[in-house]
Amino acid sequence: MAVIKVHDKEFITYLSSETIEKRVREIADEINRDYSGKRPLFISILNGAFMFTADLFRYLTIDAELCFIKIASYKGLKSTGKIVTTIGLEEDIFGKDIVILEDIVDTGKTLHDFLPKLFHQQPNSLKIATLLHKPEATEYPHQLDYVGFPIPNKFVVGYGLDYDGLGRNLKEIYQLK
Ligand code: IMP
Ligand code: MG
């Protein structure tokens, strides 16, 4: 098991790149089945979801649209509880089938703040796909339609997720030691 250092903290390997890839493929297969004959619009939440989004998209065989928004609530190892939108949604989502792509759902606050804005625009349907979920950290519950891995309430980095700006480029997911 590899130990790595990001900033001042040590992390150990938690999910290998093979494990992640296999699961991302399975989620893509499920989405391909569920949205067969439809043309969903995927809304990927930057920054963390960029890698999950890119990998998932390679395995989609349906017609799929993609856009990005940027919201963040984290500073260091803790959620600040304040959500800041820095790149908003430009697309008109009225009548569309929406799939939100998240790297991780932790307290659920990000989605709690963002989802009402989407529902306000009356999409035809809305589902959530997240690579990781920390069930024990839930403060705002959501129906998560596609979950890659439920994980314990420990800080993780890698595969798009950062610790204070670093670690996003790691192919594996690491857990705080
Ligand atoms: P929530 O609003 O508490 O659900 O947090 C969601 C966002 O916080 C995610 O999209 C991540 O950007 C960030 N986040 C939550 N937990 C972690 C973690 O363990 N490592 C890195 N980022 C995290
Ligand atoms: Mg994020």
Side-chain angles (χ1 to χ4, degrees), residues 38 54 68 97 104-105 111 118 125 131 143-144 162:
K38 297 187 175 158
F68 293 91
D97 294 309
I104 182 165
V105 176
L111 290 176
L118 292 185
S125 69
L131 181 69
Q143 186 192 319
L144 302 175
D162 72 307

Side-chain angles (χ1 to χ4, degrees), residues 28-131:
D29 287 343
E30 252 185 86
I31 291 175
N32 285 331
R33 279 198 301 273
D34 294 350
Y35 288 88
S36 159
K38 297 187 175 158
R39 198 178 69 192
L41 168 64
F42 290 79
I43 303 179
S44 171
I45 305 187
L46 294 172
N47 291 326
F50 79 93
M51 210 175 273
F52 173 46
T53 301
D55 283 349
L56 184 83
F57 252 69
R58 279 176 242 261
Y59 299 121
L60 292 180
T61 51
I62 48 168
D63 283 345
E65 296 183 321
L66 172 64
C67 68
F68 293 91
I69 60 148
K70 186 168 179 182
I71 35 184
S73 66
Y74 255 66
K75 200 168 189 298
L77 298 174
K78 283 228 165 62
S79 175
T80 59
K82 247 206 266 151
I83 311 293
V84 184
T85 306
T86 41
I87 302 176
L89 185 67
E90 286 160 359
E91 272 70 12
D92 181 10
I93 65 163
F94 177 81
K96 290 197 175 173
D97 294 309
I98 304 297
V99 183
I100 307 277
L101 298 179
E102 257 285 34
D103 50 353
I104 182 165
V105 176
D106 181 31
T107 63
K109 173 95 169 110
T110 305
L111 290 176
H112 174 80
D113 286 17
F114 178 57
L115 291 181
K117 291 179 192 156
L118 292 185
F119 281 122
H120 187 72
Q121 293 189 41
Q122 302 178 351
N124 181 54
S125 69
L126 192 148
K127 284 192 180 185
I128 299 167
T130 185
L131 181 69

